[in-house]
Amino acid sequence: MILTGKVLIAQGGGPTAVINQSMVGAALEARKFAQVTKVYGAIRGVEGILNEDFIDLSQETTNNMELVAQTPSSALLSTRVKPDEESCRRMFKVMKAHDIRYFFYIGGNDSSETLRLIAENAVKEKYDFRAIHIPKTIDNDLVLNDHTPGYGSAARFIASAFTGVNLDNRAMGGIYIGVVMGRHAGFLTAASAIAKKYPDDGPHLVYVPERAFSIDKFVKDVKNVYDKYGRCVIAVSEGITDEEGRPIVTTLRDDIEYDEHGNVQLSGNGTLGESLSDLLKEKLGVSRVRSDTFGYLQRSFMECVSDIDQREAREVGEKAAQYAMWNNSDGSIVINRTGFYSVDYDFVPLDKIAGKTRYMPDEFINEEGNHVTDAFKYYLRPLVGSGYKVAHRLRASHAPKLFLK
Amino acid sequence: MILTGKVLIAQGGGPTAVINQSMVGAALEARKFAQVTKVYGAIRGVEGILNEDFIDLSQETTNNMELVAQTPSSALLSTRVKPDEESCRRMFKVMKAHDIRYFFYIGGNDSSETLRLIAENAVKEKYDFRAIHIPKTIDNDLVLNDHTPGYGSAARFIASAFTGVNLDNRAMGGIYIGVVMGRHAGFLTAASAIAKKYPDDGPHLVYVPERAFSIDKFVKDVKNVYDKYGRCVIAVSEGITDEEGRPIVTTLRDDIEYDEHGNVQLSGNGTLGESLSDLLKEKLGVSRVRSDTFGYLQRSFMECVSDIDQREAREVGEKAAQYAMWNNSDGSIVINRTGFYSVDYDFVPLDKIAGKTRYMPDEFINEEGNHVTDAFKYYLRPLVGSGYKVAHRLRASHAPKLFLK
């Protein structure tokens, strides 16, 4: 049976540098199928569906679609709204009114839960409908996926940033703390590790949310590095917590902002980095302690995109259209690693992904809990893509002293 | 008369992405002259000279020198130490002991003052000696120069960063503040302006230290933009001051850190951005206000370098060696613009540069003092180099409403 009707594509959650590759991949591939009457895009994710705010992507030129594919951050705009069952029912009604038969939602694990709820309505009403989740997140925290589209480019930004700040810190001295996105999973913070080339390079310490963060241990770790190299570069995840699971920033400060879901607001302010800086100044007596919170630069930086990530983001979009049209079933596209380095794609039921979070496996974190292992670097390296730049040093020998001898 | 002896090269102040191009340009060019017996590099700028800590660059391979040239941040390491007359006397003695006859100092306007003081000692002691200043600063604030090496690459980083955060802000909504380096001159903050492509793109507002910053006017400006577009992206220089010249951060907060020179510490913390965010949340009642302080990422980011900047940084290094050898006089290399786009180099006495700061000319700042002019964009565009990436948008038309009609 060939299911004839419209395709709808939406993008949800935080943007990535390659999210438009997936949108363009799905849209252009869907156009090749005769049963697709139109390809619509929803403006601002689920908000666009609730408000019936669609654009007709079938009327875009291929050339402009290719240019948009190269542009970071959701071209269809996005939202943080998480729809409830009632909203999902309404969205289904809107889609039905438009004879939408294929819905592709590009997002994280919340998105696949939304898809599942919408698809339930279709079954109830015996409306032939395909709901396909296309993975996306810089956090790399979707289960069953070797990695997620968006992660490789953000990882490349983080690795390049630490290559630069390590050089800067080496030239100027002192202690440097870089705070990286990642509320629950440390994959992005861990990416800083491949910036380390020479034995005394930073990041010297890497702290991820998968390990409880001890303030005393932290101060001791930094002291050890500083005593050895006269400087220290630290990568720390915004999501680090103490033994009881309390965000470290709340244990160091008491003027903290909470969002509508009761979560601590971790991005868009430098509180964690500054609190840790103040701590080190006080405990170690080092005057030059600097912190940067990488903030919004890390997920949509135009000039630091992984070609591998672009390719895979494109392919998960294309595969979504293919699975929808040829397999006629709902599901989520997943990425499997099949070599060093090659991937293949698979299709799993939505509830295998929905609402689940993947963490860094133990083998990727060192025993001390303050850096990553070589196994992680081996895992990460292909994902940042080709042309990744590394630093070089002078190796010239010292000249003999003539004045002070 | 041919002056035979050693060459010494040093790098001072904050690093840039292309500072090693100048070092390598001077070192390799100097090697071509028979009167040059050795090419030394001073480790950590003037500190290395005071401590007689030199490496022998003549024993580097050309291949490794080329790789180092491509690497950001002072390969010879750097220092913030400003030597007094006594130190300059001592540095001269060290150089004399090594038969150093040519000293190339890559730095900002402080460096050319140091060179002048050292050269005075040589004259006093009738020691044949050439002191050459090679310009470098991301701040673009050296007088007589159309622009300075290091600026183009940092400007490219800022422009790319704002291209990305504008896309992010467009997708997610709210107000975004990006705080950019630049204590006295606004050239780097102003570079954000070329990120604006479509009429409703950010940065919508750009504040530079050349104009007194009024908190009331700022709130009004942001409200106007927010009312019009439902969002706002703001670029603000870390060095903005009020009518009386007080840093804005000190007027908004009272827990501010001062450095040993009594300057407010502007880099390495997010206080200004966060204070402005808090202000806007309170005055405009907008809940999603985010700020990033770009910090140390902006001056040594490996993957965002201008090829024009690299070429010119290389050439000022080469020209320094040539002027020293052929002209036999002290001075500073300056960059003149000779077309759109072409440059030529000139050689001016050290005291024409020393201790002077260049500001953005009035024609580069709009009348309201909250953005730049097209004249500035025309000035800047070639400096960020080739391959500069711009964003693209979907242009597809809206689909008719069927459910809500």
Side-chain angles (χ1 to χ4, degrees):
Chain A
M1 185 221 69
I2 286 174
L3 179 57
T4 300
K6 292 200 185 80
V7 161
L8 177 66
I9 304 172
Q11 298 175 315
T16 80
V18 298
I19 190 170
N20 296 325
Q21 291 283 357
S22 299
M23 184 270 289
V24 170
L28 295 185
E29 185 68 9
R31 290 282 308 275
K32 296 177 188 162
F33 290 83
Q35 66 264 43
V36 171
T37 56
K38 286 269 188 190
V39 178
Y40 278 8
I43 298 298
R44 236 173 252 293
V46 293
E47 281 186 56
I49 307 173
L50 291 168
N51 303 327
E52 214 184 347
D53 191 4
F54 300 139
I55 59 171
D56 184 356
L57 293 171
S58 338
Q59 296 185 44
E60 261 297 349
T61 63
T62 309
N63 194 56
N64 198 51
M65 288 292 265
E66 291 297 350
L67 290 170
V68 169
Q70 300 280 334
T71 302
S73 190
S74 324
L76 291 169
L77 312 186
S78 192
T79 177
R80 286 271 178 218
V81 167
K82 285 180 202 173
D84 55 13
E85 286 193 38
E86 171 57 35
S87 296
C88 288
R89 199 150 40 237
R90 183 189 162 90
M91 284 194 279
F92 172 72
K93 282 183 192 155
V94 171
M95 289 195 235
K96 199 175 163 192
H98 281 269
D99 193 31
I100 286 163
R101 298 287 177 166
Y102 302 94
F103 177 39
F104 301 108
Y105 197 13
I106 306 165
N109 55 33
D110 291 338
S111 311
S112 66
E113 176 62 13
T114 301
L115 277 165
R116 210 183 53 74
L117 291 172
I118 295 172
E120 275 181 8
N121 286 283
V123 172
K124 228 176 282 169
E125 300 203 16
K126 295 192 176 27
Y127 177 79
D128 266 332
F129 180 74
R130 299 282 63 85
I132 315 285
H133 172 239
I134 300 174
K136 167 243 62 161
T137 165
I138 63 166
D139 293 334
N140 200 32
D141 62 353
L142 294 189
V143 296
L144 302 184
N145 284 275
D146 177 75
H147 58 278
T148 56
Y151 173 61
S153 297
R156 184 175 180 133
F157 180 88
I158 294 302
S160 287
F162 273 91
T163 299
V165 295
N166 171 64
L167 291 166
D168 202 307
N169 176 264
R170 184 169 174 257
M172 305 304 290
I175 295 172
Y176 179 88
I177 302 168
V179 180
V180 181
M181 276 185 179
R183 194 179 282 269
H184 304 296
F187 289 104
L188 196 54
T189 307
S192 63
I194 60 165
K196 194 180 175 77
K197 177 180 169 181
Y198 299 99
D200 61 323
D201 271 343
H204 305 95
L205 298 166
V206 178
Y207 298 97
V208 295
E210 282 83 354
R211 292 290 177 270
F213 184 87
S214 148
I215 284 170
D216 291 344
K217 175 68 163 52
F218 170 68
V219 173
K220 212 175 290 172
D221 286 351
V222 177
K223 188 179 183 316
N224 285 342
V225 172
Y226 194 80
D227 287 349
K228 189 166 178 188
Y229 300 119
R231 67 187 188 96
C232 186
V233 173
I234 304 154
V236 61
S237 170
E238 63 179 4
I240 51 167
T241 58
D242 67 11
E243 288 285 354
E244 277 83 51
R246 282 176 307 211
I248 288 300
V249 72
T250 64
T251 70
L252 291 166
R253 291 273 282 264
D254 45 24
D255 54 340
I256 304 302
E257 184 180 345
Y258 293 84
D259 72 10
E260 58 202 281
H261 306 284
N263 292 319
V264 179
Q265 199 223 300
L266 299 175
S267 301
N269 74 65
T271 314
L272 176 61
E274 280 155 41
S275 305
L276 292 174
S277 291
D278 291 345
L279 177 79
L280 293 176
K281 278 181 200 165
E282 187 202 321
K283 299 279 183 189
L284 302 183
V286 176
S287 63
R288 193 172 194 276
V289 183
R290 300 286 183 266
S291 73
D292 284 327
T293 303
F294 294 175
Y296 295 94
L297 301 190
Q298 58 201 310
R299 65 185 187 188
S300 48
F301 198 80
M302 193 103 194
E303 304 223 0
C304 194
V305 177
S306 158
D307 55 351
I308 293 287
D309 194 24
Q310 285 182 311
R311 185 171 78 201
E312 293 174 355
R314 181 64 166 249
E315 289 189 304
V316 291
E318 284 189 37
K319 292 303 292 180
Q322 292 178 4
Y323 277 114
M325 306 294 161
W326 300 125
N327 285 38
N328 202 27
S329 63
D330 300 346
S332 179
I333 314 295
V334 297
I335 303 183
N336 293 323
R337 189 182 296 224
T338 54
F340 188 83
Y341 177 75
S342 59
V343 294
D344 203 355
Y345 304 96
D346 208 347
F347 195 58
V348 300
L350 290 169
D351 59 8
K352 297 274 188 207
I353 303 286
K356 296 186 176 69
T357 300
R358 178 182 173 225
Y359 302 99
M360 283 184 79
D362 290 343
E363 75 198 73
F364 285 174
I365 304 171
N366 75 350
E367 213 163 312
E368 281 220 65
N370 61 12
H371 221 294
V372 304
T373 59
D374 287 348
F376 174 75
K377 294 186 198 174
Y378 184 76
Y379 161 83
L380 174 64
R381 185 55 191 86
L383 310 184
V384 302
S386 46
Y388 171 70
K389 288 184 177 150
V390 296
H392 296 270
R393 282 189 187 180
L394 293 170
R395 302 162 310 189
S397 54
H398 272 76
K401 287 190 196 292
L402 299 176
F403 182 74
L404 288 168
K405 65 176 177 188
Chain B
M1 186 219 67
I2 286 175
L3 179 56
T4 301
K6 292 200 185 78
V7 162
L8 177 66
I9 304 173
Q11 298 175 315
T16 79
V18 298
I19 190 171
N20 295 324
Q21 292 283 357
S22 299
M23 184 270 288
V24 169
L28 295 185
E29 185 68 10
R31 289 282 308 277
K32 296 178 188 162
F33 290 82
Q35 66 265 44
V36 172
T37 56
K38 287 269 188 191
V39 179
Y40 278 8
I43 297 298
R44 234 172 254 292
V46 293
E47 281 185 57
I49 307 174
L50 291 168
N51 304 326
E52 214 184 346
D53 191 5
F54 299 139
I55 59 170
D56 185 356
L57 292 171
S58 336
Q59 296 184 44
E60 260 296 350
T61 63
T62 309
N63 195 56
N64 198 50
M65 289 291 266
E66 291 298 349
L67 290 170
V68 169
Q70 300 279 335
T71 302
S73 190
S74 323
L76 291 168
L77 312 187
S78 192
T79 178
R80 285 272 178 216
V81 167
K82 287 181 201 172
D84 55 12
E85 285 194 37
E86 172 57 35
S87 296
C88 288
R89 200 150 40 236
R90 182 189 161 90
M91 284 194 280
F92 173 71
K93 282 183 191 156
V94 171
M95 289 196 235
K96 198 174 165 191
H98 281 271
D99 193 32
I100 286 163
R101 297 288 177 165
Y102 303 94
F103 176 40
F104 301 108
Y105 197 13
I106 306 164
N109 56 33
D110 292 338
S111 311
S112 66
E113 176 62 13
T114 301
L115 276 165
R116 209 184 53 74
L117 291 172
I118 294 172
E120 275 181 8
N121 286 281
V123 173
K124 228 177 280 166
E125 299 202 18
K126 294 192 175 27
Y127 177 79
D128 266 333
F129 180 76
R130 299 282 63 85
I132 316 285
H133 172 238
I134 301 175
K136 167 241 63 157
T137 166
I138 62 166
D139 294 333
N140 200 32
D141 63 352
L142 295 189
V143 297
L144 301 185
N145 285 274
D146 177 75
H147 59 279
T148 57
Y151 173 62
S153 297
R156 184 173 179 133
F157 180 88
I158 295 301
S160 286
F162 273 91
T163 299
V165 295
N166 171 65
L167 291 167
D168 202 308
N169 176 264
R170 182 169 175 257
M172 305 304 290
I175 296 173
Y176 179 88
I177 303 169
V179 181
V180 181
M181 276 186 180
R183 193 179 282 268
H184 304 295
F187 289 104
L188 196 54
T189 306
S192 62
I194 60 165
K196 194 180 175 77
K197 177 181 168 182
Y198 300 98
D200 60 323
D201 271 343
H204 306 96
L205 298 166
V206 178
Y207 299 97
V208 294
E210 282 83 353
R211 292 290 178 270
F213 184 87
S214 148
I215 285 171
D216 291 343
K217 174 69 162 55
F218 169 68
V219 173
K220 213 175 289 173
D221 286 350
V222 177
K223 188 178 183 314
N224 285 343
V225 173
Y226 194 80
D227 287 348
K228 188 166 179 189
Y229 300 119
R231 67 187 189 98
C232 186
V233 174
I234 305 155
V236 61
S237 169
E238 63 179 5
I240 51 168
T241 58
D242 66 10
E243 287 285 355
E244 276 84 49
R246 282 176 307 210
I248 288 300
V249 72
T250 64
T251 69
L252 291 166
R253 291 272 281 263
D254 45 24
D255 54 341
I256 302 302
E257 184 180 345
Y258 292 84
D259 73 10
E260 58 202 280
H261 307 285
N263 291 320
V264 179
Q265 198 223 299
L266 298 175
S267 301
N269 75 66
T271 314
L272 176 61
E274 280 156 41
S275 305
L276 293 174
S277 290
D278 291 345
L279 177 78
L280 293 177
K281 277 182 201 166
E282 187 202 318
K283 299 280 184 190
L284 301 182
V286 176
S287 63
R288 194 172 193 275
V289 184
R290 300 286 183 265
S291 73
D292 284 327
T293 303
F294 294 175
Y296 294 94
L297 301 190
Q298 58 200 310
R299 65 186 187 188
S300 47
F301 198 80
M302 194 102 193
E303 304 222 1
C304 193
V305 178
S306 158
D307 55 350
I308 294 287
D309 193 23
Q310 286 182 311
R311 185 170 78 201
E312 293 174 354
R314 182 64 166 251
E315 288 190 304
V316 291
E318 284 189 37
K319 292 304 292 180
Q322 293 177 3
Y323 277 114
M325 306 295 163
W326 301 125
N327 285 39
N328 203 27
S329 62
D330 300 346
S332 180
I333 314 295
V334 296
I335 302 183
N336 292 324
R337 188 182 297 225
T338 55
F340 188 83
Y341 176 77
S342 59
V343 295
D344 203 354
Y345 304 96
D346 208 345
F347 195 59
V348 301
L350 290 168
D351 59 10
K352 298 272 187 208
I353 303 285
K356 296 184 175 71
T357 301
R358 177 180 173 228
Y359 302 99
M360 283 184 78
D362 290 343
E363 75 197 70
F364 284 173
I365 304 171
N366 75 350
E367 212 163 313
E368 281 219 66
N370 61 11
H371 222 293
V372 303
T373 59
D374 287 347
F376 173 75
K377 294 186 197 175
Y378 184 78
Y379 160 83
L380 174 64
R381 185 54 191 85
L383 309 185
V384 303
S386 47
Y388 171 70
K389 288 184 177 148
V390 296
H392 296 269
R393 282 188 187 182
L394 292 169
R395 303 163 308 189
S397 53
H398 272 76
K401 287 190 198 292
L402 300 176
F403 182 74
L404 288 167
K405 66 176 174 187

